[in-house]
Amino acid sequence: MKRLPKRAGWLPEGGPQRLLTDDEIRLLGESSFFVRDGFVDEALAAEARAEIDRLAEAERLRPAGISRGMNYRVEDRVRGDLITWLDPAEATPALAAVHRRFEELRDELNQQAYMGLDYFEVQIAQYPGGGAGYDRHVDAFPGSPNRRATAILYLNEGWQPEHGGVLRAWLPDGEVREVEPVSGRLVVFQSDQIPHQVMPTFAPRWAVTAWYRHRSAVI
Ligand SMILES: O=C(O)CCC(=O)C(=O)O
Ligand SMILES: [Fe+2]
């Protein structure tokens, strides 16, 4: 059979466009953590933030709790954000586009890092300012078949150091990283490996977080 000729501009050199770089994949393996800027462009970030504000105005966000089931409680000294879960079937356009981006990220993590992620859930969180934060925690217990990867996208245009609200993360090699939640920035880490904390926030702070699981995981 005759092979199709290569067409310039059809596929980039080296095959389909990849979302993650080799360095990011390597960092996720070695440090369980990486940060990438520009995961979504400014216009999409601004529109997603506006859509979250409209959800807040419609009182669709509620105080986040800690723990699940019988231990669930709202404890705003531990965790001061307002949240809702993002249902792609009902999402407004920019938030639906953000959801698709997280889906592409899942596919890429599976293809490049063999993470076996089937299922993910996406949470929208807004910290109101006034010193709200989230105490040090891990998103999954080590070795449990629960959350495998966490990806956090920030939507805060014009973030200033005096706004606080950095993500502080303790890496396995002892390094402590501080990440400013600037618009379009994505943080990805292995959910059971990285204790982290949202430092007190003195301006409203928006984040969208995806947690990726394996199909067999107990919810
Ligand atoms: O917004 C952040 O930077 C992190 C939030 C977080 O740790 C969580 O929701 O589990
Ligand atoms: Fe967390």
Side-chain angles (χ1 to χ4, degrees):
M1 196 168 66
K2 234 176 119 186
R3 298 187 58 186
L4 284 173
K6 265 201 182 153
R7 266 170 52 190
W10 190 23
L11 281 179
E13 283 297 313
Q17 195 75 53
R18 284 177 45 181
L19 187 60
L20 300 177
T21 65
D22 288 341
D23 263 358
E24 288 163 341
I25 299 294
R26 185 181 51 76
L27 283 170
L28 191 58
E30 287 175 4
S31 311
S32 307
F33 186 92
F34 73 83
V35 179
R36 97 115 47 148
D37 285 330
F39 183 64
V40 299
D41 65 31
E42 268 305 322
L44 177 54
E47 190 49 37
R49 199 180 53 232
E51 289 180 3
I52 297 171
D53 272 344
R54 288 197 284 278
L55 289 173
E57 277 160 27
E59 300 189 346
R60 297 273 301 279
L61 305 184
R62 57 187 170 74
I66 47 180
S67 296
R68 286 183 181 255
M70 284 177 57
N71 293 324
Y72 181 88
R73 63 196 187 280
V74 171
E75 184 97 61
D76 62 8
R77 277 165 304 137
V78 175
R79 179 170 184 185
D81 54 338
L82 298 167
I83 61 144
T84 191
W85 297 96
L86 177 58
D87 177 352
E90 289 185 0
T92 42
L95 289 171
V98 166
H99 195 278
R100 280 196 297 279
R101 202 79 180 115
F102 279 125
E103 198 170 342
E104 288 168 14
L105 179 65
R106 178 201 57 192
D107 294 346
E108 186 80 356
L109 289 170
N110 285 340
Q111 280 161 28
Q112 306 298 335
Y114 312 105
M115 290 192 71
L117 310 169
D118 301 299
Y119 175 82
F120 68 107
E121 57 197 353
V122 177
Q123 183 179 274
I124 294 166
Q126 185 193 48
Y127 291 76
Y134 189 166
D135 282 359
R136 178 179 156 130
H137 65 281
V138 283
D139 287 351
F141 295 108
S144 84
N146 208 309
R147 293 168 170 174
R148 289 197 168 178
T150 301
I152 309 169
L153 169 66
Y154 297 112
L155 302 175
N156 307 297
E157 203 180 332
W159 196 258
Q160 301 295 323
E162 61 268 27
H163 295 163
V166 297
L167 176 74
R168 183 175 287 173
W170 286 264
L171 272 49
D173 66 1
E175 188 193 347
V176 181
R177 291 282 297 275
E178 297 214 325
V179 182
E180 288 197 339
V182 302
S183 192
R185 179 168 286 170
L186 179 78
V187 176
V188 180
F189 55 86
Q190 295 196 39
S191 305
D192 65 350
Q193 297 294 318
I194 303 288
H196 56 282
Q197 173 172 4
V198 178
M199 302 305 285
T201 301
F202 301 101
R205 176 190 190 273
W206 294 261
V208 185
T209 300
W211 285 286
Y212 298 93
R213 304 168 187 269
H214 187 262
R215 196 192 307 278
S216 65
V218 180
I219 295 174

